[in-house]
Amino acid sequence: MALPLPLPADHPFLPSGIFGNDVVLVTGGGTGLGKAMAEAFARHGAAVAIVSRKEEHRTSGIEAVREVGGRAIGVAVDIRDTAQISAAFDQIEAELGAVSILVNNAAGRFMAPAEDMSDNGWRAVTQIVLDGTFFCSREFHRRRLASGQPGSILNISATYAWTGGPGSAHSAAAKAAVNNLTQTLAVEWAPDMVRVNALAPGYFPHGDTVQHMRGDWSKGRERQMPAGRPGHLQELGWAATFLCSPFASYVTGHVMVVDGANWLRHRASSQSDFVPVREWARAGNSS
């Protein structure tokens, strides 16, 4: 048995046009979970800015938004660079209007034992996940504060922020910091009418999933999950849009886990023999 399948992605969720006056900036919005969230906001009337360093990713995100009837532009930004972030906000405001919702989705991750991780490898992940999230959030807040308008920030976390992630010391540490940042900024910025929440997604298969994280469903992986199935992208989109909507107006500083209780299973029991990370990582087995 498994949890029931979700309603179709185009099924009515929030009131039609609830984000009709909003401009949503999604970092890393051209692939995977970022693209799914961009589509969800577009279905509810938002104009969407797809922010990514890669042109092909921006193009993919724009096309996805337009396919569901939304408006979108793409902006080339390295979110580790504050000058580029500021310029991006200026461009988006000129073309779509002031950004009222920020989704800090851009991330980086590769699997490696901590002792094998290079300085550049560490920085490549922590600067995108943590620094980029803070830099974008700070720019967003400054502009909302200057305009006297409310805003909403949604950060993308991960459940291994609480448990640690063997093979992912850089990413796990950065995601844990994002959780703390979410809570800290929620307290600081509530008087400024800016809410800050986070999502910690479980396994949501999609065409952009990197090979080492896809897993082998032919081996009955669904039997390892309490829900009996993986997540569907629209389920993540619904959670994201709810947290940024007026219906969550009193929700801030919250990290919502959307994973069918899977991370709780890992806390409660062990399903296989322990293998030191360096053994499977150096053998090239990252699945």
Side-chain angles (χ1 to χ4, degrees):
M1 299 291 288
L3 289 180
L5 293 176
L7 296 165
D10 60 355
H11 192 281
F13 174 49
L14 296 169
S16 177
I18 189 70
F19 296 113
N21 295 321
D22 287 296
V23 175
V24 182
L25 188 164
V26 184
T27 66
T31 60
L33 305 186
K35 183 165 67 176
M37 289 185 284
E39 290 178 4
F41 281 104
R43 288 182 186 276
H44 291 89
V48 182
I50 305 295
V51 169
S52 174
R53 286 179 293 171
K54 295 185 178 181
E55 182 177 1
E56 62 270 26
H57 291 173
R58 298 193 299 272
T59 299
S60 175
I62 292 169
E63 291 176 348
V65 168
R66 289 177 177 172
E67 285 176 3
V68 299
R71 293 185 298 142
I73 64 170
V75 184
V77 182
D78 184 338
I79 62 171
R80 298 169 292 186
D81 186 321
T82 56
Q84 291 189 37
I85 292 170
S86 179
F89 272 83
D90 287 341
Q91 179 182 341
I92 295 165
E93 185 165 347
E95 297 188 35
L96 296 177
V99 176
S100 54
I101 296 172
L102 169 65
V103 180
N104 286 309
N105 168 74
R109 185 185 179 191
F110 60 88
M111 309 296 284
E115 67 268 27
D116 290 347
M117 203 172 292
S118 68
D119 295 354
N120 286 340
W122 172 269
R123 285 192 291 263
V125 172
T126 59
Q127 289 180 351
I128 292 172
V129 174
L130 177 56
D131 294 0
T133 293
F134 175 68
F135 293 157
C136 290
S137 297
R138 184 180 61 186
E139 184 70 26
F140 175 82
H141 171 261
R142 286 173 173 171
R143 291 174 183 249
R144 300 314 284 173
L145 185 61
S147 69
Q149 296 297 312
S152 180
I153 297 173
L154 182 66
N155 298 324
I156 304 305
S157 181
T159 55
Y160 58 81
W162 292 296
T163 64
S168 300
H170 46 3
S171 179
K175 291 293 189 182
V178 166
N179 282 359
N180 187 284
L181 184 66
T182 298
Q183 296 166 334
T184 299
L185 297 183
V187 175
E188 289 194 22
W189 293 350
D192 304 327
M193 300 186 293
V194 173
R195 297 187 299 110
V196 189
N197 291 294
L199 277 179
Y203 187 61
F204 287 83
H206 53 79
D208 301 314
T209 304
V210 294
Q211 186 61 43
H212 75 266
M213 295 181 67
R214 291 187 178 185
D216 186 353
W217 289 88
S218 68
K219 296 181 179 179
R221 186 174 177 183
E222 68 278 0
R223 294 196 299 272
Q224 301 172 4
M225 309 178 78
R229 65 170 178 85
H232 290 238
L233 290 175
Q234 64 264 38
E235 294 175 297
L236 187 70
W238 293 330
T241 51
F242 165 71
L243 285 175
C244 296
S245 77
F247 295 96
S249 57
Y250 202 56
V251 180
T252 191
H254 180 59
V255 182
M256 177 185 287
V257 179
V258 186
D259 80 336
N262 199 49
W263 89 286
L264 298 172
R265 175 190 70 87
H266 288 290
R267 293 177 64 198
S269 63
S270 177
Q271 300 297 314
S272 59
D273 293 339
F274 173 74
V275 179
V277 61
R278 61 186 59 88
E279 292 185 13
W280 56 257
R282 291 173 183 168
N285 178 17
S286 301
S287 61

